[in-house]
């Protein structure tokens, strides 16, 4: 572990912005919310944020991206397309780093998806431990408040100084190349880091071990009354899918230029809460009822993706809960209710 | 890293055979002259650049001569309507073959009862023709085929041939027959054909493909016949966007677990999906 002074960190960031050919992205304030966006100066960087509106997945799985380009002279030719921008992303909270690791498993399962993987591999991930958790965040309960891997560098605010943990060679190189002044961490610094971690408080909690979720969800698939009651006010707007760092379902469609000589096949975020997600030609919809779609999201978070990748696919960021207008998308609340109702 | 799994192979439409008002048969070859290398029951993603992709069952048997394959397409929306407007010699893209095929080897030496409803004949035909081309590898072969009306019968010429063969049994039915149309087969939904069929319970597999509603009733009839669940094979249709197990659209669930139809299916053994509330 190393220590870097706040001022040195600022100049390190400014150095990167000016001299590194990669795009430097970080957490900025917008309105009274926070977003990941391109940094123009270290002054914009807010490492003390609570949560961002969208997770950093937008850099690896953009809301809309091109998979193929079509060009026609006399005959149409399709070519693969992957708009990879090399980036350094600063200030990713541990729960989002864990979500990225989950996504990595999804997109590296055979057949590998180069559109995601190449973007991910071309990125330097610099994490920051939370200095405060958002009101709806329950990462503490999901064991995602801290992480030992998934980052190239990890920062923790020790008050005027930052602890720097080096996760990979990529991270080490970035520091070495910059020539930034680092001190070795003392025993007291390590203690302080532990103390800061231990003092992190969460207002929202899930009242049991996440490892119990798969069994709980399996037992409650057929609890129709529960799902119907809780989904009653759902607008099927899909916001809970869109803001989630572990949701990755997508739609694929073609766009054609007006000239009709060029076009592209794109993919864009889709959501299982949206009404037509499981509909086929002929009008049959395999999850026609709101409650079925509502249940599906929780089942995926707690059971389905666990069966496939051994991950609990909710990292407790609380974005869905805070952005759902009728406020019915809080996994902690739903999981707790199911647990309480358990016989 | 491999190249993009979303990139289709170039292919050419060799022949177009209109079959009914809504369905057309396309014979297609890959421009690299390779055979598709499919199993009966698998599907491809058909790509029309600038329009989109659609999952379509491979309707020809891998035993068919030459390296081309056939797709039977019903015009229902964007991609399928544009396909219907293409001409012989036009280019399309093909990804695949994808999914599990029918368990052809498991069924060798068995009696096979094919039950097709409507467009369900398209995937089943890849297996039916396989069984007919390798007739001695299978015991008794029976085909039940039901459509809404006589004008909707697909593969009319071929079906005529099935009627003539004495080494298989073929029965057809239509839900209704308009006045003045000549029809010698049964009238009634497909389930009305099942009670009259002789089945060797020890040795029979039923292979079923049709619209979702048909499964519910056919399965009830097969149950009455005491065919065990594990000897019923089904092919399911779902909304599919990738065919690669990634986009999430084709997932079906139940308290027992879940499947991605594009990879774990579209062909399933009924015993494996019976507890899946979202399967049927
Ligand atoms: C494994 C499999 C095998 C199939 N085999 C055949 C076949 O042999 N012949 C045949 O004619 N059809 C087959 N289908 C159905 C065919 O894929 C759809 O009819 C086709 O995708 C519709 O595309 P479209 O662009 O023409 O319609 P669209 O304009 O996209 O939409 C029409 C309707 O179809 C739904 N839909 C859209 N995309 C899909 C999709 N990818 N899968 C299912 N429904 C969708 C829409 O929700 C809408 O209700 C098969 C489907 C699957 C999953
Ligand atoms: S749960 Fe909330 S955010 Fe999700 S679809 Fe329903 S209303 Fe929208
Ligand atoms: S389900 Fe909600 S709380 Fe869980 S990871 Fe997704 S957005 Fe965050
Ligand atoms: S079609 Fe995309 S996951 Fe099956």
């Amino acid at each position: 572990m190393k220590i870097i002074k706040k001022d040195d960190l600022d100049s390190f960031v400014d150095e990167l912005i000016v001299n590194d050919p990669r795009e430097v992205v970080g957490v900025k304030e917008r309105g009274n919310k926070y977003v990941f966006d391109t940094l123009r100066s270290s002054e914009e960087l807010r490492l003390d944020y609570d949560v961002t509106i969208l997770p950093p997945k937008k850099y690896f799985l953009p809301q809309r991206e091109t998979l193929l380009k079509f060009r026609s002279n006399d005959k149409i030719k399709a070519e693969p397309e992957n708009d990879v921008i090399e980036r350094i992303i600063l200030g990713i909270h541990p729960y989002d780093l864990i979500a990225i690791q989950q996504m990595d498993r999804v997109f590296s399962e055979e057949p590998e998806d180069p559109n995601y993987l190449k973007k991910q591999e071309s990125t330097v991930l610099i994490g920051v431990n939370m200095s405060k958790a958002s009101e709806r965040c329950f990462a503490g309960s999901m064991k995602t408040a801290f992480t030992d891997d998934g980052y190239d560098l990890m920062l923790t605010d020790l008050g005027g100084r930052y602890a720097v943990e080096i996760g990979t060679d990529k991270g080490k190189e970035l520091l070495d190349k910059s020539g930034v002044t680092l001190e070795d961490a003392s025993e007291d610094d390590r203690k302080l880091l532990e103390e800061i971690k231990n003092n992190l408080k969460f207002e929202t909690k899930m009242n049991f071990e996440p490892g119990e979720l798969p069994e709980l969800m399996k037992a409650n698939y057929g609890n129709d009354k529960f799902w119907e009651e809780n989904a009653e006010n759902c607008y099927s707007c899909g916001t809970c899918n869109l803001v989630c760092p572990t949701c990755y379902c997508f739609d694929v469609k073609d766009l054609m230029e007006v000239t009709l000589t060029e076009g592209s096949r794109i993919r864009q975020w889709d959501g299982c809460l949206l009404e037509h997600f499981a509909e086929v030609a002929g009008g049959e919809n395999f999850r026609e009822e709101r409650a079925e779609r509502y249940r599906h999201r929780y089942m995926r978070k707690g059971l389905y993706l666990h069966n496939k990748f051994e991950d609990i696919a909710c990292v407790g960021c609380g974005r869905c809960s805070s952005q759902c207008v009728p406020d019915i998308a809080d996994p902690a609340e739903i999981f707790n209710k199911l647990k309480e109702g358990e016989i | 890293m491999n190249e993009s799994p979303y990139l289709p192979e170039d292919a050419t439409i060799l022949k177009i055979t209109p079959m009914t008002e809504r369905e057309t048969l396309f014979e297609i070859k890959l421009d690299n002259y390779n055979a598709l290398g499919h199993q009966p029951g698998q599907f491809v993603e058909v790509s029309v650049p600038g329009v989109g992709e659609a999952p379509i069952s491979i309707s020809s048997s891998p035993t068919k001569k030459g390296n081309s394959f056939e797709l039977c397409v019903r015009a229902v929306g964007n991609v399928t309507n544009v396909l219907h407007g293409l001409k012989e010699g036009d280019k399309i893209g093909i990804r695949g073959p994808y999914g599990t095929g029918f368990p052809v080897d498991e069924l060798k030496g068995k009696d096979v009862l094919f039950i097709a409803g409507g467009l369900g004949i398209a995937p089943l035909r890849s297996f039916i023709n396989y069984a007919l081309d390798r007739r001695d590898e299978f015991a008794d072969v029976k085909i039940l085929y039901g459509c809404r009306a006589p004008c909707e019968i697909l593969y009319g010429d071929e079906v005529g041939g099935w009627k003539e063969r004495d080494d298989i049994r073929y029965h057809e039915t239509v839900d209704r027959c308009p006045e003045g149309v000549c029809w010698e087969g049964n009238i009634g939904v497909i389930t009305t054909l099942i009670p009259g069929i002789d089945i060797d319970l020890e040795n029979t597999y039923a292979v079923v493909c049709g619209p979702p509603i048909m499964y519910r009733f056919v399965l009830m009839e097969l149950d009455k016949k005491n065919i065990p669940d594990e000897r019923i094979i089904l092919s399911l249709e779902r909304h599919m966007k990738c065919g690669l197990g990634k986009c999430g659209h084709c997932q079906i669930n139940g308290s027992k677990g879940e499947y991605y139809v594009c990879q774990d299916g579209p062909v399933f053994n009924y015993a494996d999906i019976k507890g899946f509330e979202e399967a049927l």
Side-chain angles (χ1 to χ4, degrees):
Chain A
M1 187 170 115
K2 302 278 176 191
I3 298 291
I4 184 172
K5 291 204 194 75
K6 170 91 173 74
D7 288 347
D8 291 336
L9 180 63
D10 286 346
S11 19
F12 168 69
V13 173
D14 285 323
E15 258 303 296
L16 289 177
I17 294 172
V18 176
N19 292 330
D20 200 289
R22 290 168 284 197
E23 182 189 7
V24 180
V25 164
V27 177
K28 306 199 315 201
E29 193 175 346
R30 185 174 298 157
N32 45 12
K33 300 233 163 45
Y34 298 99
V35 294
F36 281 98
D37 196 3
T38 314
L39 288 180
R40 280 162 308 175
S41 138
S42 63
E43 279 167 32
E44 291 180 327
L45 182 63
R46 289 294 302 270
L47 291 178
D48 60 340
Y49 75 102
D50 54 358
V51 67
T52 55
I53 300 176
L54 287 180
K57 83 169 173 191
K58 63 181 180 181
Y59 294 112
F60 317 124
L61 183 68
Q63 186 142 23
R64 175 182 270 201
E65 75 181 290
T66 306
L67 299 175
L68 300 176
K69 274 259 181 235
F70 306 118
R71 285 184 191 85
S72 82
N73 306 323
D74 43 322
K75 101 178 213 215
I76 292 196
K77 189 89 201 100
E79 279 161 23
E81 176 89 4
N82 193 359
D83 186 12
V84 180
I85 297 175
E86 294 192 58
R87 289 193 178 91
I88 300 167
I89 306 183
L90 280 141
I92 308 173
H93 279 166
Y95 52 79
D96 274 338
L97 288 167
I98 290 169
I100 292 171
Q101 288 178 298
Q102 294 193 2
M103 290 278 218
D104 292 350
R105 284 188 272 280
V106 170
F107 287 102
S108 48
E109 198 194 32
E110 284 297 322
E112 289 186 345
D113 187 302
N115 283 70
Y116 172 92
L117 292 174
K118 283 197 182 135
K119 291 188 185 73
Q120 210 290 36
E121 285 161 12
S122 309
T123 308
V124 181
L125 302 171
I126 304 183
V128 66
N129 275 313
M130 281 179 267
S131 41
K132 60 174 179 285
S134 76
E135 200 187 324
R136 306 302 290 266
C137 177
F138 54 103
S141 314
M142 302 310 283
K143 303 200 186 317
T144 54
F146 307 104
T147 177
D148 293 330
D149 50 18
Y151 55 79
D152 296 303
L153 294 174
M154 175 62 94
L155 306 170
T156 310
D157 188 348
L158 302 180
R161 317 150 69 226
Y162 281 84
V164 186
E165 288 161 281
I166 296 168
T168 63
D169 290 344
K170 211 156 126 186
K172 188 170 181 311
E173 266 166 42
L174 196 70
L175 290 175
D176 290 349
K177 232 180 91 190
S178 74
V180 64
T181 325
L182 295 168
E183 292 162 29
D184 284 330
S186 67
E187 207 39 50
D188 284 350
D189 294 327
R190 286 175 200 276
K191 274 197 197 130
L192 183 57
L193 177 67
E194 279 317 302
E195 211 170 289
I196 286 173
K197 285 183 172 182
N198 289 336
N199 284 339
L200 187 61
K201 294 279 176 290
F202 294 92
E203 279 177 56
T204 303
K205 289 191 177 68
M206 188 175 81
N207 304 326
F208 56 98
E209 290 292 302
E212 294 174 38
L213 274 170
E215 281 308 316
L216 181 70
M217 297 315 286
K218 205 185 275 181
N220 280 286
Y221 180 90
N223 194 346
D224 294 348
K225 195 164 154 270
F226 178 85
W227 299 115
E228 275 157 28
E229 277 173 16
N230 284 282
E232 207 177 333
N233 294 321
C234 175
Y235 302 143
S236 303
C237 67
T239 302
C240 49
N241 295 131
L242 298 189
V243 301
C244 178
T246 66
C247 272
Y248 59 83
C249 288
F250 56 84
D251 188 14
V252 179
K253 64 177 186 187
D254 284 17
L255 303 174
M256 212 61 197
E257 301 291 325
V258 272
T259 55
L260 295 181
T261 54
E262 272 185 40
S264 48
R265 179 157 297 154
I266 60 141
R267 77 165 154 208
Q268 61 188 22
W269 295 350
D270 208 340
C272 58
L273 268 288
L274 298 169
E275 199 177 335
H276 300 289
F277 188 80
E279 190 176 282
V280 298
E284 184 89 12
N285 187 338
F286 294 95
R287 276 189 293 279
E288 193 162 20
E289 302 300 325
R290 214 166 25 184
E292 293 170 329
R293 297 190 293 274
Y294 180 86
R295 170 181 65 190
H296 186 72
R297 184 176 77 100
Y298 292 104
M299 296 299 293
R300 259 179 91 87
K301 300 296 171 207
L303 174 64
Y304 301 152
L305 292 175
H306 182 265
N307 289 343
K308 208 164 147 86
F309 300 108
E310 294 179 10
D311 292 320
I312 297 296
C314 170
V315 295
C317 69
R319 289 184 177 97
C320 54
S321 358
S322 62
Q323 295 184 53
C324 168
V325 174
D327 198 356
I328 53 167
D330 187 347
E333 189 183 330
I334 291 297
F335 293 150
N336 283 338
K337 278 199 214 169
L338 285 173
K339 186 75 186 170
E340 280 158 30
E342 208 179 49
I343 332 118
Chain B
M1 208 175 302
N2 302 332
E3 69 166 9
S4 173
Y6 299 97
L7 183 67
E9 286 193 49
D10 295 331
T12 305
I13 300 175
L14 292 182
K15 191 162 175 238
I16 295 179
T17 316
M19 291 202 291
T20 68
E21 251 173 49
R22 292 191 296 170
E23 284 100 0
T24 295
L25 188 68
F26 295 87
E27 185 185 347
I28 292 158
K29 78 160 183 45
L30 298 177
D31 287 356
N32 61 18
Y33 295 98
N34 290 335
L36 190 58
H38 71 287
Q39 285 292 309
Q42 288 190 294
F43 68 96
V44 288
E45 285 281 351
V46 180
S47 160
V48 184
V51 183
E53 279 187 310
I56 302 289
S57 308
I58 304 154
S59 192
S60 52
S61 163
T63 52
K64 187 180 84 63
K65 288 202 186 64
N67 278 351
S68 66
F69 57 94
E70 290 167 333
L71 306 175
C72 171
V73 180
R74 173 178 289 177
V76 295
N78 289 333
V79 176
T80 48
N81 274 312
V82 171
L83 275 173
H84 275 234
L86 296 181
K87 304 179 301 297
E88 290 172 2
D90 280 350
K91 300 285 178 191
I92 55 172
I94 295 287
R95 287 197 292 133
Y98 291 130
T100 54
F102 292 110
V104 172
D105 290 330
E106 184 186 338
L107 270 64
K108 282 192 176 151
K110 309 289 183 193
D111 290 355
V112 190
L113 171 64
F114 292 103
I115 305 178
L119 191 53
I121 192 75
L124 271 197
R125 176 179 173 257
S126 66
F127 191 4
I128 292 173
N129 282 345
Y130 182 95
L132 297 184
D133 284 345
R134 301 190 173 176
R135 186 63 193 84
D136 52 343
E137 291 182 13
F138 300 87
D140 206 31
V141 172
K142 295 192 184 76
I143 304 168
L144 312 184
Y145 179 26
C147 284
R148 289 193 301 188
C151 63
E152 294 190 3
I153 295 272
L154 297 166
Y155 306 103
D157 294 347
E158 237 171 84
V159 163
W162 297 347
K163 281 181 204 163
E164 305 296 315
R165 284 178 78 133
D166 53 14
D167 60 346
I168 61 168
R169 284 287 167 76
Y170 173 78
H171 303 274
E172 60 189 5
T173 186
V174 292
D175 296 356
R176 58 186 181 278
C177 182
E179 238 165 273
V181 174
C182 166
W183 178 251
E184 289 167 357
N186 185 65
I187 294 185
V189 293
I190 185 126
T191 41
T192 59
L193 291 178
I194 298 174
I197 299 292
D198 275 334
I199 288 170
D200 173 1
L201 265 186
E202 294 306 303
N203 204 37
T204 300
Y205 273 79
V207 185
V208 191
C209 192
I213 181 85
M214 183 190 106
Y215 285 118
R216 287 162 220 157
F217 294 104
V218 165
L219 288 167
M220 266 159 47
E221 285 303 320
L222 292 178
D223 190 47
K224 283 187 205 156
K225 284 270 182 194
N226 295 316
I227 299 190
D229 297 341
E230 56 276 13
R231 278 199 260 120
I232 301 176
I233 312 292
L234 308 166
S235 177
L236 300 184
E237 184 188 342
R238 281 301 180 278
H239 194 138
M240 293 185 180
K241 280 299 173 187
C242 69
L244 308 170
K246 303 233 187 292
C247 75
H249 280 273
C250 69
Q251 195 191 343
I252 54 169
N253 320 288
S255 40
K256 273 169 76 179
E258 70 281 345
Y259 286 120
Y260 290 79
V261 177
C262 67
Q263 291 193 317
D264 304 323
V267 174
F268 290 97
N269 186 303
Y270 180 42
D272 292 335
I273 53 169
K274 199 175 181 189
F276 285 68
E277 287 82 345
E278 292 177 16
L280 293 165

